[in-house]
Amino acid sequence: MLVHGDALLLVVAALLLDAVIGDPDWLWRRAPHPVVWIGNGIGRLERRLNPESWSRRQRKLAGVITVIVLVSFAMLVGGVLADLLNDNWIGFAIEALIASTLIAQRSLYQHVARVRRAFTEGGLPAARQAVAMIVGRDPERLDEAGVARAAIESTAENFSDGIVAPVFWLALLGLPGLIAYKAINTADSMIGHRSTLYIDFGWAAARLDDLVNLIPARLSGLLVAIVAPIVRGSIVASLRIMMRDASRHRSPNAGWPESAMAGALGIAIAGPRVYAEGAVNDPYLNAEGRAAALDDIGRALRVFVTACVLQAAIYAALALLL
């Protein structure tokens, strides 16, 4: 399926619904979120196809089969829903509402803003608890700069894989593409680890996640750089740092939006950090930048919101032209 006006209108409608409604707690306390359904399916496949008694080669093959089954089923569900809902404006509205549940603009903003508010209301201990909800590193090892840096990195990375990437695949392949993307991304977060249990079984999920985020990650960095002036940053400096430092990140994709954000804010992010499984001694992105501070979380959120608005405006313009 090629990008066309109807798909782009669906993108714009889903973005607007997500911005206004987000993920209401009252709803998801009563019904499982679609990502929960996806996660439950992955869990069932993992329990059946990743026994410790199997060889590494068997586990890797089982992981490939798991990803094929997962993506095929996601595409099938998305295709059935799209066919059922494409006849009238009510169906279009329902399809847009379904799509909006798989985009994370409002929820990401709320989670990161909660870290900033916790700093103000409860100091560093409260901020550590809040940031632990969005990053995997050990919060007790974080000082004020570390908490701010973690929140900003999460904002940049999740702008890519929680917003730009799902929207990209929605525009390109419609609802089947969006659901398949979320299935791949969820699989990567659940089994795409380097632990003994998942290094082989999760190999296919991790590699496919890298592939489907390849273009969106670079688009994310570009959007962040373009809106840098909203925080008195430089577009040129942000682009320069992104092009220079993105490859220094351990992920082939996360470095693009993160280094662009570092350049836009004039701060150093990434670098050495401690996770539950151990320490990571990564280089800094924009190493010449200053240390992150509490105020930089608010600045990162302004960049994030403006980049989201720019993305929606681009898709709206394309919808009018195509």
Side-chain angles (χ1 to χ4, degrees):
M1 183 186 301
L2 298 176
V3 176
H4 55 80
D6 289 346
L8 295 170
L9 286 174
L10 180 63
V11 165
V12 175
L15 286 170
L16 290 174
L17 284 169
D18 176 60
V20 174
I21 300 173
D23 286 326
D25 290 337
W26 63 265
L27 175 60
W28 303 126
R29 282 197 299 266
R30 292 168 173 80
H33 192 280
V35 172
V36 174
W37 291 346
I38 294 170
N40 288 339
I42 295 167
R44 291 191 185 96
L45 288 168
E46 192 274 334
R47 286 189 294 273
R48 288 177 177 271
L49 298 176
N50 191 30
E52 294 184 8
S53 59
W54 285 11
S55 68
R56 294 190 62 178
R57 183 176 181 180
Q58 287 174 314
R59 286 186 177 192
K60 181 173 283 191
L61 178 59
V64 172
I65 293 171
T66 295
V67 168
I68 292 172
V69 170
L70 185 67
V71 173
S72 299
F73 186 73
M75 294 287 288
L76 176 63
V77 170
V80 169
L81 287 172
D83 286 343
L84 290 173
L85 298 171
N86 68 356
D87 286 340
N88 53 56
W89 69 268
I90 296 176
F92 176 85
I94 294 172
E95 191 174 0
L97 186 61
I98 293 170
S100 74
T101 68
L102 300 175
I103 302 170
Q105 293 172 120
R106 189 179 181 91
S107 61
L108 177 58
Y109 181 92
Q110 289 171 333
H111 278 96
V112 177
R114 199 170 292 135
V115 178
R116 180 182 56 175
R117 187 167 60 251
F119 254 131
T120 303
E121 297 175 355
L124 182 58
R128 284 171 171 165
Q129 291 182 355
V131 83
M133 301 298 292
I134 58 174
V135 298
R137 64 199 68 179
D138 181 0
E140 298 305 316
R141 302 288 191 96
L142 299 174
D143 56 10
E144 182 173 319
V147 171
R149 193 168 71 239
I152 292 165
E153 290 169 25
S154 182
T155 304
E157 181 178 2
N158 286 291
F159 173 59
S160 176
D161 60 20
I163 299 158
V164 175
V167 167
F168 174 83
W169 289 106
L170 175 61
L172 194 65
L173 298 176
L175 201 58
L178 171 61
I179 297 176
Y181 172 79
K182 292 303 292 187
I184 295 165
N185 192 242
T186 304
D188 178 59
S189 66
M190 290 180 64
I191 62 175
H193 309 300
R194 293 184 177 274
S195 64
T196 303
L197 182 61
Y198 293 124
I199 190 168
D200 296 305
F201 182 74
W203 172 84
R207 298 292 76 77
L208 185 57
D209 185 73
D210 288 342
L211 180 63
V212 296
N213 279 295
L214 201 66
I215 295 174
R218 286 144 182 83
L219 292 176
S220 302
L222 182 60
L223 288 167
V224 167
I226 290 172
V227 303
I230 199 71
V231 289
R232 297 183 180 179
S234 164
I235 295 175
V236 173
S238 183
L239 288 172
R240 177 178 57 80
I241 291 165
M242 179 180 73
M243 297 302 295
R244 186 194 69 189
D245 289 356
S247 61
R248 297 180 182 179
H249 200 286
R250 61 175 44 218
S251 163
N253 295 316
W256 293 84
E258 287 188 25
S259 56
M261 182 69 80
L265 301 179
I267 62 172
I269 61 175
R273 50 201 186 274
V274 179
Y275 293 90
E277 58 268 25
V280 171
N281 192 29
D282 285 350
Y284 282 100
L285 305 178
N286 192 28
E288 65 271 26
R290 58 178 174 78
L294 170 59
D295 289 345
D296 290 315
I297 299 177
R299 296 176 69 225
L301 285 173
R302 288 199 295 276
V303 170
F304 167 72
V305 170
T306 310
C308 287
V309 171
L310 175 60
Q311 176 183 235
I314 291 171
Y315 278 112
L318 290 173
L320 292 173
L321 292 173
L322 296 180

